[in-house]
Amino acid sequence: KEYIESVKFIKTATVPIIKVTCTEKYWRKKIDFTYQDVSHNGLQSVKLIRQYLGKIAFIQMNTSIVALIFVLKKFIYISNLSAPYLGGISSYGLILMIVAFIQ
């Protein structure tokens, strides 16, 4: 297809993932597909992160925590450590580490 550059299936992840990279015409966007089954905790994870970030923002009365998360995510990406299935760290893990440090 004109919009897909590559497709990779990661069956060793906790929840199997299909990773798609778009062509240059579509800014090389990266899209991950998973499917909901009994071992998929994505929706509960989102709820938990929103609760943590809501409490932190309320206590500190600023959004610098979100800026910190984005800076660290960029650093992790540049360092090629953003693929958990290859030994890197996920966004979820990064946010939980930051929350634990702040607490």
Side-chain angles (χ1 to χ4, degrees), residues 5-55:
E5 183 175 290
S6 67
V7 177
K8 187 175 184 181
F9 178 63
I10 312 296
K11 63 181 175 183
T12 58
T14 304
V15 175
I17 303 170
I18 298 173
K19 300 180 86 50
V20 176
T21 303
C22 296
T23 60
E24 188 173 345
K25 180 179 178 182
Y26 294 93
W27 309 287
R28 298 207 189 281
K29 291 284 182 184
K30 295 182 179 189
I31 305 166
D32 293 351
F33 294 96
T34 63
Y35 63 94
Q36 183 105 12
D37 68 356
V38 294
S39 64
H40 195 288
N41 298 324
L43 297 177
Q44 292 111 338
S45 299
V46 168
K47 185 177 178 181
L48 178 67
I49 293 299
R50 284 185 178 159
Q51 288 174 349
Y52 279 143
L53 293 180
K55 288 178 185 176

Side-chain angles (χ1 to χ4, degrees), residues 62-100:
N62 64 47
T63 57
S64 59
I65 188 73
V66 176
L68 174 64
I69 291 168
F70 282 120
V71 167
L72 291 175
K73 279 177 59 85
K74 184 66 173 182
F75 178 74
I76 289 168
Y77 177 77
I78 290 170
S79 302
N80 288 325
L81 295 172
S82 60
Y85 59 93
L86 294 175
I89 185 167
S90 66
S91 296
Y92 181 69
L94 174 66
I95 293 170
L96 289 179
M97 284 193 313
I98 293 169
V99 167

